[in-house]
């Protein structure tokens, strides 16, 4: 290391040279040295380096000074604590010096040092000591008030320190406060402003007492109202505090708001501006506490958004020309804000508009009021003359439109209730006024206001598609003006084009036909624009215009032919160009594809050369995917475009894409091939098809079910359309398909595709594989497993898949079916058959029996009943499934038989009820109607059964049966609630759960009326009934929120009540020498918390989130299962309503901290360790989610806790692994509770 210290001493020597270049280079080299990790300084060199750098801070040369300051940063971490203190002392003294340059450089030095200090959590005392030193000096400097620039620098550094290390200065907080408060009355406004910033950083970490002291002081001063100027500052200060630590100011709002409201009426524009800024920050930061004051604040905003005393808007028509000129003079003057003669009322209007925007975006529940009172006022202010204000008014209105946008999620798609449409109707009625207020502005000189108009209109067209249909004539001139205007910026044009695109997409083609003549030329000009973003937007618009000019899905009188000569050449030029932006290439391909699809028959000789270009684009890796999609579109055109010339070369290229790794390319290519085979089979040669067939076996695999499904759909098309090639479908493809049928993962779409394929294959005459061969291949795995131990190799799901394929083959070949049925019946009754064979036989009979009447098979009933006594559970349930499905195909004979058996065979009830459930679920309502009364009476005999399993089946039967005739049966279920034992009540409530599906159904309207009565069982004295009622509530909230949204006020108290731990339900059980506590209320509590979680997803806007958080907080301290649930809820809440979580942070973190720091007793069992580990992981996930909330790091408790995590190696490694996991997962972690 000696070399290092020698090197440094030689640098120090050069640093004292008289030549400034030497000094500069030496300092620069020192900087390099200090940045290396390897450098170690002995005490002597430390002293020398520090002394030298401090001396260079006063160097005559500015550049040397700057470098010396930069060296201080890396130096802080390399020298001992007392040296850092020396540096700080010197810098603080220099800050008070008379030389301005020295003062500046010292304050930069202090900031550098502060930013390099290690955070307190690393456990070093250095930070604390250094900060105390600096703080003492700074508060002194601020208090002296001799030199303003010293004060400003000191305030700046103090803010810096508070924001980064506020917690370390805990002991100084009150002295900092006492030093800052007098600065709010400083004669210099800049000092006041910086004091406010410093206070904002202070309130994040200070204790409750100091916060109260500050608010008391502010309130007292606001009441005193010494001079308007100080009052302004105090209001600014309140707003600043609320912005930084809004959750803390909530409890003081009751006192603050009346004062600010009163100041709004003082004739002082700047004061009013600050008042509205304060309101805005309250609305955003303390939504709950602001609730009672919203009407009042909104009234003030609406009053002052029109406040323009020095301007007369009377005669709008003539003023139009004046306005723009005046508006522009206005701006030149308004630079100098403090002169009296100037009109600054625009600031009041702007702050009122911003405050309204805050209200609109945070209060979704007041939408109807907004449209009644707020919307008309905003529309009337679109004529605002001051550009900045107008921009904010537009942005407020856009916020309002965004709030109105119907929620596009699967929950609400199936669940549109009439209530949500009221705001949309109110908006619809205001559209004419909006257009009237805007259309003239679309031709103004000002680009900013035109852009505002377009973004507002775009949002409007998205919220209410079709609403501008009657106003197109008013809007088109403005669109053309902005597209053709030479002075327009490129952004202006892009905005106009993207509005035009939305407009074309959201309205019927007919409304544009009168305007095509004027609209098309400027758009085509934009395609030729040199700026690629404009070109790409213009191509998108052109693509949409082509659909509008000639919609192929309905008859249309508009003649598109004259416009082809405008559209085609511009697009073709872009399609041919190879040296353009990728986005433009892709959009040119898509646009040309659309032109050929809609207008191909008008292109005559141009068509073939263009298709040749498509072939070229197919060969290029960058454009191939887009081209495949465009070709798919062209091939599906009803104009029957002639593609034969390019097929011979194109088909092999497409076949080669099936080998590529890019999944999207494989899928698009399969779709393209499918369409080509359907529409162009006459132009295909067997050799072309074979090139594709060889690629297919590799695509059919259980690793990617979707690609397999699309590939099999393509094969089915081949079998139907081009059956001569079927003989070529090789064994390899079929082998893969049989492999899939026997896979446990096969279901849904892929299974249906295979079934269609088998049917097509059997019906194609040239197939190498007939019915019997396919049957054999399908069932061979089951039959070859005659030995019992091998049957484990086939998954249960595979039996169902095979059975479905068997049934499909039989229905395609009705001649072969009876023999197959007889074979299966023989298999099922033969004592020699293995249980696997019997299961397959029953499942196949079930699938066949559902669609065909098996009444001819006399011995079938006996065989099934015999199987009910089988020792194998699988055989029993397969037989029960078969009985149910065979009954569906033959209700008149089998249903009475099933009912008779249920009455007479108490031992087999469970299986028979399962059969009945199949009958009710799968039969058409009309077929069941005659039997409803019998089934109903029978089920009610069993609804008090002591077996919960049986009761659940009965409930499912009742629920599904109610769907057959809801008008009559729902009231009967309701009657049963009041009578009967707890068992009967729980069955009825569960039955209702089975009437709720996530698709719209006729029963919904009736359910909505009476679900409240069923949910009253949440207060049932019986624990089990309450648990099922919660399950019903959860199911409703999950699948059809509209059923319960309006009942939440009545239901939530009972729900929250169930989350409490009940002492009387906890009992002690003696197990030999051990005592063991059992909590009977746990299941109910768990169900209640699951409901709460579901409500977060579906009814968040109806919850009082603070009340909700109280119960989450209790859950965090509850039993293991419930804590796991509440941790997930907390993570979800952090993303859904971060501000509410911030307000409660202190109380929420304690239980998390407790969980993370528990230790398992040394002698515990393995499960106990695993359980604790899971809990900790889950708690850490919640912590990680909390840390994503903006501004959470400013909370002292959170900072403290994250320091604790970092300093504890076990917690730190757990936390890191959680963060790695969450980085690889999709953003939303949700829990499935359905």
């Amino acid at each position: 290391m000696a070399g290092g210290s020698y090197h440094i001493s030689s640098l120090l020597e050069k640093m004292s040279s008289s030549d400034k270049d030497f000094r500069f280079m030496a300092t620069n080299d020192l900087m390099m040295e200090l940045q290396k990790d390897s450098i170690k300084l002995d005490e002597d060199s430390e002293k020398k380096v520090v002394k030298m750098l401090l001396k260079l801070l006063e160097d005559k040369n500015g550049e040397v000074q700057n470098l010396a300051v930069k060296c201080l940063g890396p130096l802080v971490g390399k020298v001992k604590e007392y040296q850092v203190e020396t540096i700080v002392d010197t810098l603080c003294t220099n800050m008070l010096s008379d030389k301005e340059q020295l003062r500046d450089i010292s304050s930069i030095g202090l900031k550098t040092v502060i930013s390099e200090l290690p955070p307190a959590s690393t456990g070093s005392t250095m930070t604390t000591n250094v900060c105390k030193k600096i703080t003492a000096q700074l508060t002194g400097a601020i208090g002296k008030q001799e030199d303003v620039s010293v004060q400003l620098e000191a305030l700046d550094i103090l803010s810096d320190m508070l924001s980064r290390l506020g917690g370390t200065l805990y002991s100084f907080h009150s002295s900092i406060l006492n030093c800052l408060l007098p600065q709010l009355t400083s004669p210099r406004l800049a000092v006041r402003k910086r004091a406010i910033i410093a206070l904002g950083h202070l309130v994040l970490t200070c204790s409750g007492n100091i916060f109260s002291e500050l608010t008391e002081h502010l309130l007292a001063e606001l009441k005193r109202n010494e001079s308007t100027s100080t009052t302004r500052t105090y209001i600014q200060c309140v707003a600043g505090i609320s912005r930084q630590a809004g959750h803390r100011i909530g409890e003081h709002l009751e006192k603050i708001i009346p004062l600010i409201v009163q100041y709004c009426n003082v004739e002082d524009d700047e004061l009013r501006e600050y008042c509205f800024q304060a309101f805005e920050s309250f609305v955003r930061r303390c939504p709950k506490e602001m609730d009672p004051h919203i009407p009042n604040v909104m009234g003030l905003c609406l009053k002052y958004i029109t406040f323009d005393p020095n301007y007369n808007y009377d005669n709008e028509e003539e003023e139009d020309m004046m306005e723009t000129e005046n508006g522009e003079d206005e701006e030149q003057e308004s630079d100098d804000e403090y002169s009296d003669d100037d009109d600054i009322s625009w600031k009041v209007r702007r702050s009122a508009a911003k405050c309204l925007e805050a209200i609109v975006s945070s209060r979704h529940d007041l939408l109807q009021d907004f449209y009644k009172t707020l919307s008309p006022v905003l529309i009337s202010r679109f004529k605002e003359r001051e550009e900045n204000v107008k921009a904010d008014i537009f942005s407020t209105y856009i916020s309002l439109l965004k709030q109105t946008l119907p929620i596009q999620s699967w929950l609400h798609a199936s669940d549109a209730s009439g209530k949500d449409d009221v705001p949309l109707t109110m908006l619809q009625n205001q559209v004419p006024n909006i257009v009237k207020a805007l259309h003239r502005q679309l031709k103004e000189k000002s680009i900013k206001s035109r852009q505002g108009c377009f973004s507002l209109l775009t949002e409007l067209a998205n919220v209410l598609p079709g609403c501008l249909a009657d106003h197109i004539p008013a809007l088109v001139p403005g669109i053309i003006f902005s597209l053709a205007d030479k002075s327009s910026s490129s952004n202006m044009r892009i905005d106009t084009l993207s509005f035009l695109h939305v407009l074309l997409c959201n309205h019927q083609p007919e409304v544009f036909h009168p305007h095509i003549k004027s609209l098309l030329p400027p758009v085509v000009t934009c395609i030729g624009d040199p700026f690629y973003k404009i070109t790409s937007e213009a191509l998108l618009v052109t693509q949409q215009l082509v659909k509008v000019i000639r919609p192929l899905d309905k008859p249309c009188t508009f003649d598109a032919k004259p416009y082809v000569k405008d559209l085609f050449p511009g697009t073709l030029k872009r399609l041919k160009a190879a040296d353009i932006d990728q986005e433009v290439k892709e959009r040119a391909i898509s646009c040309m594809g659309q032109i050929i699809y809609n207008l191909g028959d008008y292109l005559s000789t141009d068509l073939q050369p263009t298709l040749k270009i498509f072939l070229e684009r197919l060969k290029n890796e960058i454009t191939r995917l887009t081209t495949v999609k465009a070709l798919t579109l062209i091939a599906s055109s009803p104009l029957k475009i002639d593609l034969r010339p390019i097929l011979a070369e194109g088909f092999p290229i497409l076949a080669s894409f099936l080998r590529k790794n890019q999944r999207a390319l494989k899928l698009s290519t399969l779709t393209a091939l499918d369409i080509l085979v359907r529409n162009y089979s006459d132009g295909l040669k067997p050799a072309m098809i074979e090139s594709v067939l060889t690629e297919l076996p590799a695509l059919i695999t259980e690793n990617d079910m979707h690609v397999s499904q699309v590939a099999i759909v393509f094969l089915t098309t081949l079998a139907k359309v081009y059956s001569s090639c079927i003989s070529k479908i090789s064994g390899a493809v079929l082998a893969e398909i049989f492999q899939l049928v026997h896979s446990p993962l096969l279901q849904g779409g892929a299974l249906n595709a295979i079934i269609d394929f088998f049917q097509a294959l059997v019906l194609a005459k040239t197939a190498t594989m007939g019915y019997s061969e396919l049957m054999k291949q399908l069932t061979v795995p089951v039959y070859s497993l005659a030995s019992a131990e091998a049957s484990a190799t086939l998954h249960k799901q595979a039996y169902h898949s095979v059975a479905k394929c068997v049934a499909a083959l039989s229905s395609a070949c009705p001649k072969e079916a009876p023999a197959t049925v007889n074979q299966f019946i023989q298999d099922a009754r033969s004592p020699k058959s293995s249980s696997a064979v019997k299961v397959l036989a029953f499942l196949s009979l079930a699938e066949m029996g559902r669609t065909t009447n098996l009444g001819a098979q006399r011995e079938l009933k006996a065989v099934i009943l015999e199987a009910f006594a089988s020792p194998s559970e699988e055989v029993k349930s397969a037989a029960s499934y078969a009985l149910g499905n065979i009954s569906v195909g033959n209700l008149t004979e089998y249903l009475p038989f099933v009912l008779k058996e249920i009455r007479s065979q108490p031992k087999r009830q469970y299986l028979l009820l399962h059969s009945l459930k199949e009958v009710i679920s799968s039969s058409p309502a009309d077929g069941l109607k005659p039997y409803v009364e019998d089934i109903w009476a029978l089920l009610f005999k069993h609804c008090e059964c002591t077996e919960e399993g049986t009761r659940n089946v009965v409930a499912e039967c009742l629920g599904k049966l109610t769907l057959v005739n809801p008008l009559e049966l729902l009231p009967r279920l309701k009657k049963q609630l009041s009578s009967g034992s707890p068992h009967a009540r729980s069955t009825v409530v569960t039955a209702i759960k089975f009437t709720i599906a996530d698709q719209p159904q006729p029963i919904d309207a009736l359910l909505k009326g009476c679900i409240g009565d069923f949910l009253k069982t949440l207060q049932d004295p019986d624990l089990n009934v309450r648990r099922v009622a919660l399950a019903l509530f959860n199911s409703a909230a999950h699948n059809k929120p509209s059923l319960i949204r309006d009942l939440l006020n009545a239901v939530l108290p009972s729900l929250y009540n169930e989350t409490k731990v009940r002492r009387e339900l906890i009992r002690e059980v003696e197990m030999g020498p051990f005592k063991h506590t059992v909590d009977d209320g746990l299941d109910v509590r768990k169900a209640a918390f699951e409901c709460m979680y579901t409500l977060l997803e579906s009814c968040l806007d109806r919850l009082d989130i603070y009340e909700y958080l109280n119960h989450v907080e209790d859950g965090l301290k509850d039993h293991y299962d419930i804590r796991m649930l509440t941790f997930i809820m907390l993570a979800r809440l952090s993303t859904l309503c971060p501000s509410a979580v911030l307000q409660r942070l202190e109380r929420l973190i304690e239980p998390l901290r407790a969980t993370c720091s528990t230790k398992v007793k040394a002698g515990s069992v393995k499960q106990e360790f695993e359980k604790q580990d899971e809990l900790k992981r889950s708690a850490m996930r919640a912590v990680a989610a909390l840390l994503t909330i903006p501004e959470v790091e400013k909370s002292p408790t959170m900072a403290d806790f994250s320091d604790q995590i970092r300093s504890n190696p076990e917690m730190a490694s757990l936390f890191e692994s959680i963060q790695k996991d969450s980085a690889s997962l999709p953003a939303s972690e949700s829990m499935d509770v359905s």
Side-chain angles (χ1 to χ4, degrees), residues 205-442:
T205 47
C206 69
S207 64
N209 302 342
I210 289 191
F211 190 80
S212 306
E213 188 184 330
L214 171 61
T215 22
E216 294 307 316
H217 175 83
L218 292 173
L219 279 167
E221 289 296 333
L222 280 173
K223 285 193 184 116
R224 265 183 49 207
N225 186 17
E226 204 167 280
S227 71
T228 324
S229 140
T230 56
T231 304
R232 277 184 211 160
T233 305
Y234 285 122
I235 288 182
Q236 264 183 304
C237 185
V238 171
I241 290 171
S242 145
R243 252 179 248 118
Q244 288 287 1
H247 50 279
R248 299 183 74 167
I249 207 166
E251 57 219 56
H252 304 278
L253 279 188
E254 279 307 310
K255 300 184 200 135
I256 297 176
I257 293 211
L259 288 172
I260 299 190
V261 168
Q262 160 198 329
Y263 285 123
C264 277
N265 301 321
V266 177
E267 283 298 321
D268 176 332
D269 289 350
E270 240 176 302
L271 181 60
R272 283 185 187 138
E273 179 193 7
Y274 296 148
C275 289
F276 283 120
Q277 285 171 351
F279 284 143
E280 181 193 352
S281 76
F282 296 153
V283 170
R284 289 197 191 279
R285 302 307 300 258
C286 322
K288 183 169 187 201
E289 291 84 354
M290 271 307 279
D291 191 43
H293 307 289
I294 290 281
N296 199 349
V297 171
M298 219 169 101
L300 282 169
C301 289
L302 291 174
K303 174 176 165 193
Y304 282 106
I305 198 168
T306 56
F307 169 72
D308 199 354
N310 306 338
Y311 192 78
N312 183 3
Y313 285 100
D314 286 344
N315 191 348
E316 285 184 20
E317 296 302 316
E318 293 163 23
E319 302 260 325
D320 240 15
M321 294 322 291
M322 295 258 304
E323 230 178 276
T324 50
E325 287 153 29
N326 271 13
E328 286 174 16
D329 300 345
E330 206 61 51
E331 272 173 54
Q332 269 101 51
E333 293 167 21
S334 64
D335 291 344
D336 173 22
E337 285 168 11
Y338 297 108
S339 70
D340 267 347
D341 53 2
D342 195 1
D343 166 22
I344 54 167
S345 64
W346 64 274
K347 289 186 164 184
V348 180
R349 298 197 297 280
R350 186 180 63 182
S351 54
K354 285 192 161 155
C355 182
L356 280 175
E357 182 171 2
I359 295 175
V360 168
S361 52
S362 59
R363 294 304 301 267
H364 185 78
D365 47 331
L366 299 176
L367 260 184
Q368 292 193 31
D369 301 354
F370 292 156
Y371 275 107
K372 229 193 264 75
T373 53
L374 195 151
S375 172
V377 178
L378 285 175
I379 295 174
S380 71
R381 290 305 303 167
F382 288 166
K383 60 181 181 210
E384 167 66 56
R385 64 207 167 98
E386 192 53 62
E387 267 208 347
N388 298 331
V389 185
K390 188 189 282 186
D392 282 312
I393 290 175
F394 281 158
S395 127
T396 305
Y397 206 84
I398 290 173
S399 271
L400 177 60
L401 291 172
K402 284 201 167 115
Q403 289 293 320
T404 321
L405 203 60
I407 303 167
Q408 295 296 331
S409 79
W410 59 272
L411 272 178
H412 301 267
S414 58
D415 199 30
S417 54
K419 205 195 108 307
D420 302 345
D421 304 339
V422 182
L424 285 173
T425 324
M426 296 168 87
L427 172 61
Q428 182 74 56
N429 300 333
Q430 298 182 15
V431 169
N433 301 345
I434 297 179
V435 176
K436 185 173 174 239
L438 292 182
H439 79 94
R440 230 181 285 115
Q441 300 192 24
L442 290 176

Side-chain angles (χ1 to χ4, degrees), residues 1129-1161:
M1129 285 159 81
L1130 195 54
R1132 197 74 194 96
L1133 280 161
S1134 313
T1135 44
L1136 291 172
C1137 32
S1139 54
V1141 175
L1142 260 186
Q1143 290 195 22
R1144 290 294 174 81
L1145 206 54
E1146 272 73 18
R1147 282 152 51 187
L1148 295 169
I1149 282 181
E1150 274 325 300
L1152 286 173
R1153 188 198 300 251
T1155 302
C1156 288
S1157 38
T1158 38
K1159 292 270 183 286
V1160 188
K1161 290 197 196 84

Side-chain angles (χ1 to χ4, degrees), residues 654-815:
L654 288 174
S656 72
F657 289 168
L658 296 177
R659 258 175 269 156
K660 302 282 185 266
N661 270 340
Q662 195 184 351
R663 186 165 179 268
L665 183 65
K666 279 194 261 203
L667 287 168
S668 302
T669 306
L670 284 167
T671 320
L673 289 168
D674 193 68
I675 287 275
L676 287 170
V677 170
R678 267 171 214 228
N679 296 348
Y680 297 92
S681 54
D682 50 348
L684 298 177
K685 306 273 180 300
M688 296 187 191
I689 301 271
E690 277 171 43
S691 68
V692 174
L693 282 179
T694 50
E695 305 296 342
L696 287 177
L699 295 182
I700 300 172
T701 147
E702 64 177 8
N703 298 336
D704 191 334
M705 279 297 178
H706 185 53
V707 171
S708 306
Q709 179 183 338
V710 181
I712 293 169
V713 169
F714 169 59
L715 277 171
T716 314
T717 307
L718 269 182
K720 286 180 182 159
V721 175
Y722 204 88
S723 53
S724 58
C725 75
I726 283 296
S727 51
K728 301 278 190 310
I729 289 188
S730 58
V733 174
L734 282 170
E736 291 295 344
I737 292 183
F738 287 127
Q739 193 77 41
L740 259 193
V741 174
H742 300 136
S743 152
L745 304 175
L746 182 69
Q747 50 161 340
L751 176 59
N752 294 338
I754 290 183
I755 290 174
D756 289 347
F757 171 65
F758 281 147
Q759 286 180 323
L761 195 57
V762 172
L763 296 174
K765 298 291 168 279
T766 53
T768 42
M769 275 200 171
Y771 176 86
S772 51
E773 180 57 23
L774 282 171
M775 274 297 196
K776 192 173 146 212
Q777 290 289 341
L778 273 173
T779 53
V780 75
V782 181
Y783 285 106
S784 62
L785 301 173
S787 54
E789 72 277 2
S791 68
T793 54
L794 261 197
H795 191 272
K796 198 166 87 194
Q797 177 65 35
Y799 289 102
H800 284 275
S801 307
V802 172
K804 286 199 165 89
C805 293
V806 167
L809 284 173
S810 307
S811 71
C813 306
K815 287 199 194 68

Side-chain angles (χ1 to χ4, degrees), residues 1069-1076:
V1069 182
E1070 292 194 2
M1071 290 176 142
F1074 300 110
K1075 282 193 172 163
H1076 180 62

